[in-house]
Amino acid sequence: MNESIDKKFLTVPPFECAWRKDLKFREAGRGCVAFEAFAHNDVTVVFRENVGSQHYHYKRDNSPHYTVILGSHRNRRLRIEVDGENVVDVAGVGLCCSSAFQSYWISIYDGLISVGKGRYPFQNLMFQWLDSNPNCNVRYVGLSSWDKHVGYRNVNVLPLTQNHILLWKQVDCGEYETEEDGDEEVKDERLGYDKWGLENFLESWELSDMFFIVGKEEKLVPAHKVILQTSGDFPLSLTGEGVVVQLPEVRYPILHALLEYIYMGHTQISEPQLGSLWALSSQFQVTPLMKQCVETMERFKLNKKLFDSGKNVELSYPSTQPHCGMVFPFGLPINVQKLKQLHSVGEYSDINIYIDGHGLVVKSHKIILSLWSVPFAKMFTNGMIESNSSDIHLRDVSPEAFNIMLEFMYSGELSIEDSIDFGSLLLQLLLLADQFGVTPLHQECCKLFLECLSEDSVCPILQAVSSIPSCKLIEETCERKIAMHFDYCTTASLDFVLFDVATFSSIIRHPDLTVTSEERVLNAILMWCMKAKELCGWELVDQLMRKYTPEPLFEERMLHSVNDLLPYVRFPLLPHALLKKLENSGLSSHIPVLDNLVKEAIGFIEYGSTAPGNGQNVRFQHRRSSYKELQYICDGDSNGVLYFAGTSFGEHQWVNPVLSKRITITASSPTSRFTDPKTLVSRTYQGTSFAGPRMEDGQQCAWWMVDIGQDHQLMCNYYTLRMDGSRAYNRFWNFQGSLDGRTWTNLRDHENDQTLCKPGQFASWPVIGPNALLPFRFFRVVLTGPTTDASNPLNLCICFLELYGYFH
């Protein structure tokens, strides 16, 4: 591997791979690598759990890894391999260029591999593929090649803290049209947002409110006040139309170059005209252009050979925020602060916006609205009433959301305060962005929705976005989250019963549906069908069925939905005793489909697979993602999670899981003779075992914490403690769960709990309520008040801990 002095450039020979220490995801299984590559054949990027060698090649790798090949099969195909096995092979996507460096980005998020083309990561999405059995441990990035040298430069690894990759291309991310010319890529990026930008209004009479009279020929050149005044200092009046700026001594090509620079961010001009362009930009104080003209003229004086006399000089505005591309106002010599100020005071405004019930809400500029919104542009230019009027009236629009949308149009950035009404305001803003076609704002709203997406908010969000066609991807994300947290989302609230039949059916049929019991699926279907107003199980529905016929109980949902949805319950996985209860229930007698499914399941359990094809029928298969139930039987039993970890999850004889590094236990005080993490999961009684206090957030606290591992989660419904030999009995403490070890959720609060009253005593408590259905990786017992030991009241004295519930 040849590597230049500049570490951002390297050449990889055939059948080798470049590994650098900085090419590493910040979080395992989640990250993005952006790079430029020059290749005659393929560009190959490898993602591994560990760094490979210089002579590594993915064809000989037996360890877990992903491989993405751009331009496979003589630069004709895109391929993705998992552990050496081909899983994606598509033609005409992500092809390489043999004449110039091209920019690419590849991101991985929990098995979702996204490939894009372009300078700006997370834009120009070409292809996505989701691994149904994701490798969430890949971290290191290797740059490889097949049979020809590949040049890489500007390689950077970016973090992915949220699953934003679904959102960066909400609107039509169709197949990317590749170009042979490397400059075509830059051209595409300059077209900016939806190929619609300020350049479309360059010297256009559309929406213009002033014009120049230039040269001896008195050529009329239209322009827009708000654009000019935020780019420099032009002699423009604040009111009135048809403002005229006369420039009799200026030739048209010079003015055109000035306006082109303002409206497009770049221009070309011959070297002899640089002085005239500098003079004109100085006259109107277009400072960036002034500086570039001066710098270019100085370079020309020092070395005339730098410029080909037959070609024009290229002048481009140096954008300070390249990740924004050419989305207005970025990439242009626009003073954003001045633009926002003109918006706030209404200077040079040519449109008054009224909202029914709120009167005049803002004065704005037609050209700014038209830059972002095609509906607004058509409204102002196609002969509608608004085309010849300075007023527009809007109905059924939130003034707060509309003002936020306008602020986004003037700044290119979304600013929305976190308040009680945040969710409602964000939804109104999303609907506005969809209504007026402001795609970048729509994408930002979708990102915020995903950032605030939780088990508690996902149902209302899904209900809101399911009717918006452009929110299809966020809708799918919500459905997947509900499916993966089905128990909680159908128990903590009844929001799910408001879903339409298509949405609820999609969740029930989702391949990632995760449940602790098929009984919960049955309960959810029955509650949804009867539009339940309170939480209930099938037994309560059965009691109602004995009093009423199905029609009034289920109303309009009975005729179609019950029969369609019940087959998605995997009845053969239910306990035999429960199936016999269902067989004799009123539900079975009134719903023939349920009766048939229950009888089929009983026959399967009692007599085996009697029907042809039962082995392949999903109703007879355990869900791939179901949690293993580890049920509390008695104090000190061998059924808990920590004991299970000690057996390598059921594969070997028991070994202390702390020693085998299956789990990690930490304490608030340093490890010592009497603060020994392995003691808490030992099968041997320890007479003295405690976690001492430490200062956190200005307060003293003591705790023991368990990390069950990066690849595991537990819905905890029971836990056990054992006192050591002291008399420091706990009275005030919390049992908590966390996903990251930093933000904690209380699973059970103990206030003056008198249960522990003997040295060496076992005690166990159930975890009840919706939080018992939330999966966590970290658990801890933390003191919230003094123990009964007056000499050391803040020592948390326990010598054993066990957890129970649904383990994944």
Side-chain angles (χ1 to χ4, degrees):
M1 176 183 67
N2 299 320
E3 190 167 344
S4 67
I5 296 175
D6 180 1
K7 292 185 178 180
K8 289 192 175 181
F9 180 85
L10 54 87
T11 301
V12 181
F15 310 109
E16 290 194 7
C17 192
W19 301 94
R20 293 199 327 221
K21 293 182 179 179
D22 59 323
L23 299 185
K24 175 185 177 182
F25 291 167
R26 185 180 302 174
E27 181 182 5
R30 297 179 178 182
C32 174
V33 58
F35 59 91
E36 293 179 63
F38 174 91
H40 289 271
N41 196 346
D42 64 75
V43 172
T44 303
V45 183
V46 183
F47 301 88
R48 296 180 87 241
E49 298 178 9
N50 301 293
V51 173
S53 65
Q54 176 181 342
H55 299 289
Y56 165 93
H57 203 270
Y58 60 93
K59 288 295 184 183
R60 300 189 295 268
D61 190 357
N62 294 322
S63 63
H65 67 283
Y66 290 119
T67 304
V68 179
I69 308 171
L70 304 172
S72 179
H73 291 74
R74 297 184 179 180
N75 199 21
R76 291 198 296 263
R77 311 182 74 81
L78 166 70
R79 294 186 65 182
I80 299 178
E81 297 182 359
V82 178
D83 303 338
E85 297 294 328
N86 189 49
V87 294
V88 170
D89 188 351
V90 294
V93 176
L95 306 186
C96 311
C97 177
S98 60
S99 60
F101 275 93
Q102 285 184 298
S103 303
Y104 305 92
W105 58 268
I106 302 172
S107 77
I108 297 181
Y109 190 98
D110 294 350
L112 176 65
I113 299 179
S114 306
V115 182
K117 191 171 186 179
R119 298 181 184 181
Y120 310 116
F122 319 122
Q123 297 182 11
N124 292 336
L125 177 66
M126 294 187 298
F127 188 81
Q128 278 187 321
W129 174 76
L130 179 62
D131 188 355
S132 60
N133 187 24
N135 182 343
C136 296
N137 296 316
V138 293
R139 172 163 280 184
Y140 293 90
V141 181
L143 306 174
S144 185
S145 69
W146 177 234
D147 57 352
K148 294 183 181 181
H149 284 75
V150 177
Y152 294 92
R153 71 182 184 189
N154 296 328
V155 185
N156 293 287
V157 174
L158 311 172
L160 281 177
T161 54
Q162 294 288 339
N163 192 0
H164 290 160
I165 199 64
L166 293 174
L167 302 173
W168 277 302
K169 206 62 182 173
Q170 281 288 317
V171 177
D172 190 16
C173 53
E175 189 171 319
Y176 188 94
E177 296 294 333
T178 57
E179 300 286 346
E180 289 298 323
D181 187 356
D183 292 336
E184 191 66 24
E185 178 185 342
V186 178
K187 180 180 177 183
D188 284 345
E189 289 174 0
R190 281 180 176 170
L191 287 176
Y193 155 57
D194 202 24
K195 297 185 178 181
W196 176 262
L198 189 58
E199 62 188 85
N200 295 83
F201 294 92
L202 174 63
E203 297 186 23
S204 169
W205 289 99
E206 294 282 11
L207 308 180
S208 63
D209 52 4
M210 60 87 59
F211 60 94
F212 295 92
I213 300 179
V214 60
K216 294 180 181 179
E217 67 276 18
E218 296 187 344
K219 181 179 178 63
L220 299 181
V221 181
H224 307 82
K225 293 179 185 178
V226 66
I227 301 301
L228 297 183
Q229 206 63 344
T230 52
S231 304
D233 187 8
F234 290 78
L236 307 174
S237 63
L238 294 177
T239 58
E241 297 182 1
V243 175
V244 179
V245 177
Q246 297 190 3
L247 301 172
E249 304 301 324
V250 177
R251 296 177 58 225
Y252 167 71
I254 306 301
L255 176 64
H256 175 76
L258 174 71
L259 294 178
E260 192 173 47
Y261 186 84
I262 291 173
Y263 279 71
M264 299 179 64
H266 58 91
T267 189
Q268 290 184 346
I269 196 168
S270 65
E271 183 273 330
Q273 294 176 319
L274 277 171
S276 299
L277 182 58
W278 171 82
L280 187 61
S281 59
S282 300
Q283 178 181 345
F284 296 129
Q285 292 298 299
V286 184
T287 305
L289 182 56
M290 290 167 52
K291 292 181 179 179
Q292 283 194 294
C293 288
V294 171
E295 291 171 358
T296 305
M297 289 188 291
E298 290 296 327
R299 291 201 306 271
F300 189 87
K301 289 178 182 179
L302 293 174
N303 187 355
K304 292 188 177 182
K305 293 182 179 181
L306 289 174
F307 300 93
D308 187 336
S309 59
K311 291 186 177 181
N312 288 335
V313 177
E314 177 80 24
L315 301 173
S316 297
Y317 175 68
S319 176
T320 57
Q321 299 195 29
H323 67 280
C324 295
M326 293 295 290
V327 172
F328 182 84
F330 301 111
L332 301 172
I334 299 288
N335 186 322
V336 178
Q337 292 302 320
K338 191 173 182 180
L339 181 63
K340 292 165 68 175
Q341 181 181 0
L342 294 183
H343 167 58
S344 64
V345 299
E347 288 187 14
Y348 306 109
S349 64
D350 55 1
I351 191 72
N352 301 316
I353 301 176
Y354 296 84
I355 295 178
D356 283 4
H358 301 276
L360 176 66
V361 294
V362 70
K363 294 184 175 182
S364 189
H365 307 86
K366 291 182 179 179
I367 187 170
I368 303 298
L369 272 62
S370 299
L371 281 172
W372 288 95
S373 168
V374 174
F376 271 128
K378 291 181 178 179
M379 186 186 301
F380 299 142
T381 59
N382 67 357
M384 296 174 65
I385 296 176
E386 291 80 5
S387 300
N388 301 312
S389 172
S390 59
D391 299 332
I392 60 173
H393 296 266
L394 302 175
R395 296 179 178 177
D396 302 323
V397 170
S398 161
E400 294 82 9
F402 190 83
N403 275 310
I404 293 174
M405 183 176 74
L406 283 184
E407 290 174 6
F408 181 84
M409 290 177 167
Y410 280 82
S411 67
E413 297 176 345
L414 176 58
S415 177
I416 180 170
E417 296 182 358
D418 189 0
S419 63
I420 297 176
D421 298 327
F422 174 83
S424 174
L425 188 59
L426 184 60
L427 175 60
Q428 293 169 349
L429 192 60
L430 177 70
L431 295 173
L432 269 180
D434 183 71
Q435 176 184 349
F436 290 103
V438 188
T439 305
L441 177 60
H442 184 277
Q443 293 174 346
E444 289 297 319
C445 291
C446 287
K447 292 179 189 178
L448 282 179
F449 264 127
L450 274 199
E451 288 177 4
C452 66
L453 196 64
S454 67
E455 292 83 1
D456 292 308
S457 66
V458 65
C459 287
I461 289 175
L462 176 56
Q463 187 182 357
V465 304
S466 60
S467 61
I468 306 175
S470 57
C471 289
K472 189 63 179 177
L473 288 178
I474 195 171
E475 178 183 351
E476 292 173 357
T477 303
C478 288
E479 288 179 355
R480 183 169 184 261
K481 190 172 187 69
I482 294 173
M484 295 182 68
H485 299 86
F486 188 82
D487 285 2
Y488 182 83
C489 292
T490 57
T491 306
S493 76
L494 289 171
D495 291 336
F496 75 96
V497 304
L498 301 177
F499 292 148
D500 58 43
V501 62
T503 300
F504 185 69
S505 177
S506 179
I507 294 169
I508 290 294
R509 294 183 287 109
H510 202 284
D512 291 329
L513 185 68
T514 302
V515 293
T516 55
S517 167
E518 293 298 317
E519 185 179 3
R520 295 191 181 278
V521 183
L522 174 62
N523 291 342
I525 290 174
L526 294 175
M527 282 190 287
W528 181 86
C529 287
M530 61 187 292
K531 292 184 180 180
K533 293 181 172 54
E534 60 182 23
L535 193 66
C536 61
W538 70 267
E539 291 176 302
L540 180 57
V541 180
D542 179 50
Q543 294 177 15
L544 295 173
M545 190 71 74
R546 297 178 186 277
K547 298 179 181 178
Y548 307 101
T549 59
E551 286 75 11
L553 190 61
F554 293 120
E555 298 179 350
E556 73 275 9
R557 290 183 174 178
M558 171 62 190
L559 299 177
H560 304 94
S561 302
V562 172
N563 293 340
D564 291 342
L565 294 174
L566 282 176
Y568 293 106
V569 181
R570 301 186 181 183
F571 286 97
L573 306 185
L574 289 170
H576 183 264
L578 178 57
L579 288 170
K580 296 299 288 185
K581 285 184 179 180
L582 281 169
E583 184 182 30
N584 298 319
S585 68
L587 283 170
S588 291
S589 60
H590 285 89
I591 305 176
V593 170
L594 177 65
D595 186 51
N596 292 335
L597 291 169
V598 170
K599 282 182 168 58
E600 176 190 49
I602 293 174
F604 178 78
I605 293 174
E606 293 180 349
Y607 307 110
S609 181
T610 56
N614 277 356
Q616 288 74 40
N617 192 319
V618 293
R619 293 206 305 274
F620 298 84
Q621 300 172 10
H622 286 274
R623 298 185 191 273
R624 177 182 55 81
S625 55
S626 292
Y627 284 67
K628 178 179 179 62
E629 184 176 7
L630 298 171
Q631 186 177 5
Y632 168 80
I633 301 298
C634 63
D635 295 342
D637 61 25
S638 299
N639 296 327
V641 173
L642 306 186
Y643 185 89
F644 187 54
T647 65
S648 297
F649 310 112
E651 295 184 3
H652 303 104
Q653 292 293 320
W654 184 86
V655 176
N656 189 300
V658 171
L659 293 176
S660 62
K661 298 184 179 180
R662 294 291 180 180
I663 63 169
T664 303
I665 294 181
T666 53
S668 52
S669 56
T671 301
S672 68
R673 178 183 176 186
F674 300 121
T675 307
D676 187 351
K678 64 179 180 292
T679 296
L680 259 68
V681 287
S682 171
R683 312 305 290 177
T684 304
Y685 171 71
Q686 179 80 13
T688 304
S689 175
F690 64 87
R694 67 186 296 177
M695 292 297 296
E696 289 183 358
D697 299 326
Q699 295 182 338
Q700 284 192 320
C701 65
W703 46 260
W704 286 99
M705 181 174 70
V706 178
D707 176 4
I708 61 175
Q710 182 178 357
D711 299 326
H712 301 292
Q713 291 183 333
L714 172 69
M715 295 188 227
C716 187
N717 59 20
Y718 236 96
Y719 79 103
T720 298
L721 301 179
R722 187 182 189 184
M723 282 294 304
D724 69 356
S726 71
R727 296 182 179 276
Y729 307 129
N730 307 319
R731 293 293 177 257
F732 304 90
W733 76 94
N734 286 342
F735 178 58
Q736 300 175 323
S738 172
L739 285 170
D740 57 12
R742 296 184 296 273
T743 304
W744 294 93
T745 299
N746 283 341
L747 301 180
R748 181 166 182 131
D749 299 336
H750 296 264
E751 291 290 330
N752 197 23
D753 191 318
Q754 303 288 324
T755 305
L756 295 169
C757 55
K758 297 178 182 179
Q761 177 189 350
F762 281 101
S764 301
W765 296 267
V767 177
I768 57 176
N771 287 345
L773 300 173
L774 286 177
F776 296 106
R777 169 184 169 181
F778 299 88
F779 297 87
R780 74 173 183 176
V781 180
V782 55
L783 278 183
T784 57
T787 68
T788 57
D789 184 359
S791 60
N792 293 293
L794 296 182
N795 281 350
L796 176 54
C797 300
I798 56 174
C799 66
F800 179 80
L801 172 65
E802 186 56 279
L803 310 174
Y804 303 86
Y806 297 98
F807 180 70
H808 178 56

